[in-house]
Amino acid sequence: MKRISPVILLALALSVAAARAGGQDLPDLGDVSQATLTPLMERRMGETIMREVRSDRAYYEEPEATDYVNQLGNRLAARSADARQEFDFFLMQDPQINAFALPGGFIGVNTGLLFAAQSESEVAGVIAHEISHVTQRHIARMIAQEKQGTVTTLASIAAAILLSRVSSDAAQAAFMFGQASAVQGQLNFTRDNEREADRVGLQLLDKAGFDPRGMASFFERLQRATGVYETAAPSYLRTHPLTFERIADIQNRLQELPYRQIPDSVEFQLVRAKLRSDLEPPREAAAYFEASLAERKFLSEGASHYGLAASALRMNDIGRARKELAAAAKLLPPNPVLETLSCRVARAAGSAEGTAACYREAIKVYPRYRALVYDYADALLQNRQPADALKVVENALETQSSDHRLYLLQARAYAALNKPLAQHRAQAEAYARLGNLSAAVEQLQIGLKSGDGDFYQLSSAEARLKELRRLDAEARRQAKQK
Ligand SMILES: [Zn+2]
């Protein structure tokens, strides 16, 4: 007997209700949300939820893939009418095909989506749809209706999202929690919201130079997959009801758009190969790339060689990694993903000088590529050159002052230089960037008690402590008020 998850039933009930209320034409949803929930409040909510998300095991903080989804997402978001909205794209290590939008422009993309898509335009289609839920303020409106924007509710939103992501069994577990499932119900978008996000998303796809047909082809494939798996419906469908009507709507709109064939970017192919070689056991990943090359069944020959090189490095086969990397470099234009792997191979080969030379050259060409900056600083720290590592990190901080990982590297460098005040201050800045203000305050207190630092450093740290205490108190007050 087939069981249908209560969450799916809930989603269905909601979309039926919405369809009855909705009527045939796209309603003007108006701007009712603005009055009750400001974009700043929404962003703060998103940050609170992100603290939970970041501590989830599936949160996947891999700089190359994360930089890629941010590049792709921001290229789309730049074409939206509301260019002031800030966006942050992040990855979840999850085989289910899904992407989801949180309050405040935080958009999660499952690794499963990147693997299941057959072109970059398909991935862009799903992300453009999520961006549109944010810019059309669908989420703000849902939360405004909730009326209990307390921190407990926020925590349960996060719990519901994380649980529903994992599997339908877990979603049922969430249902048992009662409150969490009620919030999950709130997070299911209505049919009108879905149509509006499709319509606006298609415009973004087109304006950003992707193939708008990518949206339709991907949704059709999702729907066919559902026919086969029934109750194991991909989690995407639970939060974004997908109907024949909706797909027909997209196809009608496509008729107004010119046909165009858009080749996938090199980064898209490389990042997919990177994810496979990172997430699968290296032997299996290598076998996959070997077979794809032998049968010439690949979307990009260069990316298959790159994937093979990355898998060989994981197995510590330096010779093979070098050979495959050279083959990839012959087929692909110069790019930071290849450079990063090539420096990693140099590092694994054991020559400190060769490693430093590789990173130095690569960073000249790609000064803002995070994977290179992190790796280079880490290599220097391991080679007991903390002063050099500090230079690399501080140079990057000039343009990326919100990156908590840079502060963690800075703290390691100061620790190695035996400067406890600066070390704990850097640690405090990392916590502050992660939204954990109490931990940031605590770190500064430890630093100030260490007996380290000159007059200038001490008074600067004291001023920062005062500011962080004020922000922490403010955040606590806001949490209580609601
Ligand atoms: Zn949707």
Side-chain angles (χ1 to χ4, degrees):
M1 206 184 88
K2 279 176 192 153
R3 279 189 320 169
I4 298 176
S5 141
V7 176
I8 295 174
L9 287 178
L10 196 60
L12 285 174
L14 282 170
S15 44
V16 169
R20 281 207 196 110
Q24 278 305 88
D25 297 315
L26 279 184
D28 179 12
L29 295 172
D31 209 8
V32 284
S33 57
Q34 206 81 40
T36 41
L37 190 68
T38 66
L40 184 67
M41 282 160 74
E42 199 191 327
R43 180 79 186 172
R44 290 222 171 127
M45 270 187 180
E47 277 162 2
T48 308
I49 297 174
M50 277 310 287
R51 274 179 60 185
E52 304 288 322
V53 172
R54 281 198 199 97
S55 59
D56 191 83
R57 263 208 344 245
Y59 181 70
Y60 192 57
E61 200 180 26
E62 201 278 317
E64 289 160 285
T66 306
D67 278 3
Y68 168 72
V69 290
N70 273 285
Q71 246 176 48
L72 179 70
N74 284 317
R75 181 172 152 195
L76 291 160
R79 298 303 178 144
S80 81
D82 186 6
R84 286 165 310 164
Q85 173 71 49
E86 235 182 294
F87 280 98
D88 279 279
F89 301 88
F90 59 94
L91 283 165
M92 298 298 282
Q93 187 186 334
D94 185 331
Q96 287 206 56
I97 303 163
N98 206 359
F100 53 94
L102 301 177
F106 295 94
I107 292 180
V109 178
N110 281 3
T111 49
L113 171 65
L114 291 174
F115 286 129
Q118 283 179 3
S119 74
E120 190 169 31
S121 288
E122 289 193 350
V123 177
V126 176
I127 295 180
H129 174 101
E130 296 305 320
I131 289 173
S132 304
H133 275 313
V134 176
T135 55
Q136 300 305 112
R137 308 209 24 91
H138 295 161
I139 301 167
R141 233 172 258 133
M142 270 192 305
I143 293 170
Q145 282 163 8
E146 251 289 89
K147 278 187 188 159
Q148 358 153 222
T150 61
V151 171
T152 13
T153 312
L154 286 181
S156 58
I157 291 179
I161 290 166
L162 296 173
L163 280 167
S164 72
R165 249 184 358 81
V166 184
S167 71
S168 49
D169 278 352
Q172 277 179 323
F175 187 78
M176 300 310 168
F177 280 113
Q179 194 192 10
S181 73
V183 179
Q184 171 67 32
Q186 300 287 335
L187 282 178
N188 290 315
F189 293 111
T190 65
R191 208 173 271 203
D192 288 332
N193 283 169
E194 288 310 305
R195 291 168 76 190
E196 193 174 65
D198 288 341
R199 176 172 61 82
V200 176
L202 274 178
Q203 289 166 359
L204 293 184
L205 266 185
D206 184 42
K207 285 190 204 155
F210 291 101
D211 177 11
R213 275 155 194 80
M215 189 187 269
S217 62
F218 194 70
F219 286 160
E220 278 164 341
R221 227 181 17 263
L222 263 185
Q223 202 175 41
R224 276 201 300 275
T226 331
V228 180
Y229 302 114
E230 296 273 346
T231 50
S235 51
Y236 184 82
L237 301 179
R238 284 205 296 272
T239 43
H240 306 261
L242 190 58
T243 56
F244 280 111
E245 207 185 348
R246 201 183 137 195
I247 291 178
D249 242 32
I250 297 175
Q251 274 162 344
N252 279 339
R253 289 181 198 286
L254 282 174
Q255 286 173 358
E256 299 154 18
L257 297 169
Y259 177 77
R260 73 175 156 222
Q261 184 116 35
I262 311 276
D264 295 333
S265 70
V266 176
E267 283 76 14
F268 173 70
Q269 301 294 4
L270 288 178
V271 160
R272 288 214 309 181
K274 171 102 196 349
L275 287 175
R276 188 179 295 280
S277 67
D278 279 358
L279 299 178
E280 282 184 14
R283 237 165 260 288
E284 280 169 36
Y288 170 89
F289 292 118
E290 269 163 5
S292 81
L293 286 167
E295 296 156 29
R296 302 199 64 76
K297 271 192 202 156
F298 40 66
L299 291 172
S300 155
E301 186 175 2
S304 289
H305 283 292
Y306 163 84
L308 207 40
S311 312
L313 178 60
R314 281 190 65 200
M315 293 184 278
N316 223 9
D317 185 347
I318 308 289
R320 181 80 193 272
R322 280 202 173 120
K323 190 178 140 251
E324 297 298 337
L325 203 50
K330 254 187 212 162
L331 293 161
L332 299 169
N335 69 79
V337 185
L338 278 188
E339 284 304 320
T340 305
L341 182 60
S342 128
C343 294
R344 281 182 189 152
V345 171
R347 189 175 173 187
S351 146
E353 255 166 58
T355 307
C358 184
Y359 282 119
R360 236 185 351 256
E361 288 310 305
I363 277 187
K364 262 188 217 161
V365 187
Y366 309 103
R368 297 207 184 163
Y369 201 63
R370 292 191 303 145
L372 279 171
V373 174
Y374 297 159
D375 282 8
Y376 189 18
D378 183 65
L380 288 169
L381 283 168
Q382 226 178 28
N383 201 42
R384 301 212 174 88
Q385 295 173 262
D388 295 321
L390 203 54
K391 269 187 215 147
V392 171
V393 170
E394 282 171 356
N395 189 43
L397 275 172
E398 277 175 24
T399 51
Q400 288 142 283
S401 61
S402 62
D403 185 343
H404 78 276
R405 285 177 71 168
L406 290 175
Y407 287 102
L408 292 177
L409 285 162
Q410 195 187 34
R412 275 175 64 195
Y414 279 127
L417 291 165
N418 197 22
K419 291 190 174 169
L421 176 59
Q423 176 201 337
H424 290 289
R425 176 157 187 179
Q427 190 73 47
E429 298 301 341
Y431 278 129
R433 299 303 181 286
L434 290 169
N436 192 345
L437 293 167
S438 320
V441 165
E442 196 186 342
Q443 283 298 320
L444 267 176
Q445 286 168 331
I446 298 172
L448 281 164
K449 276 186 206 145
S450 68
D452 176 43
D454 58 24
F455 174 76
Y456 168 76
Q457 288 161 334
L458 284 166
S459 47
S460 158
E462 265 157 19
R464 182 66 173 141
L465 176 61
K466 221 170 134 186
E467 192 186 5
L468 286 171
R469 272 198 179 126
R470 185 179 57 77
L471 291 170
D472 191 25
E474 201 177 289
R476 282 168 198 274
R477 226 184 0 259
Q478 276 183 351
K480 260 191 209 155
Q481 260 172 15
K482 286 177 188 163

